[in-house]
Amino acid sequence: MGTGPGLLDAEPEAAPLRVVIAKVGLDGHEVGARVVAQGLVECGFDVVYLGLRRTPEQVARAALEEDAAAVGISVLSGAHLALLPKVREALDAQGLRDVLLIAGGIIPDADVPVLEAAGIDAVFHPGTPVPEIAAYVRANARV
């Protein structure tokens, strides 16, 4: 039985990029993280939301287990300079140097270069449209 012209030659659809979203530390406000997680799902991503009060090591372990292309951390507590570099270190310790690490929340512009120097790939401020975040992840994920 024939398969028809070109059916076997068609490119298989790429699996959606997987993104792990989490809140690290004691910050208890998760509305923004949930909005971004749902928005990324609507943009075609496979999202794993870890929820509140995760440690950097828990996030890195989930990124490894889920084969994540990116990790997104929401920080509203002011602890971004302490917590985000620890997430990068935990990812690196799991051999996940290629996993994109993005952050969002209340992060002063003056702190963004410090975070970038620590290996955080991008910082998105409140009000950033989710399609902009999605476009960044698609363009920069190292898969």
Side-chain angles (χ1 to χ4, degrees), residues 36 40 45 102 124-125 128-139:
V36 171
L40 289 175
F45 289 82
I102 61 174
F124 296 97
H125 297 291
T128 302
V130 174
E132 183 178 321
I133 299 168
Y136 178 87
V137 173
R138 279 194 185 98

Side-chain angles (χ1 to χ4, degrees), residues 35 81 87 129:
V35 167
L81 291 176
V87 174

Side-chain angles (χ1 to χ4, degrees), residues 81 107-120 123:
L81 291 176
I107 299 173
D109 288 335
D111 292 345
V112 172
V114 176
L115 293 171
E116 289 172 342
I120 288 66
V123 174

Side-chain angles (χ1 to χ4, degrees), residues 76-112:
L76 300 173
S77 65
H80 51 277
L81 291 176
L83 293 173
L84 291 171
K86 288 181 181 178
V87 174
R88 177 81 268 164
E89 291 168 10
L91 290 168
D92 292 352
Q94 290 286 343
L96 302 175
R97 287 177 181 81
D98 289 341
V99 171
L100 198 64
L101 177 56
I102 61 174
I106 307 300
I107 299 173
D109 288 335
D111 292 345
V112 172

Side-chain angles (χ1 to χ4, degrees), residues 24 50 54-65 83 85-91 93-94 96:
V24 177
L50 299 181
R54 300 299 169 192
T55 66
E57 293 76 19
Q58 287 172 322
V59 172
R61 192 170 31 257
L64 178 66
E65 291 171 1
L83 293 173
K86 288 181 181 178
V87 174
R88 177 81 268 164
E89 291 168 10
L91 290 168
Q94 290 286 343
L96 302 175

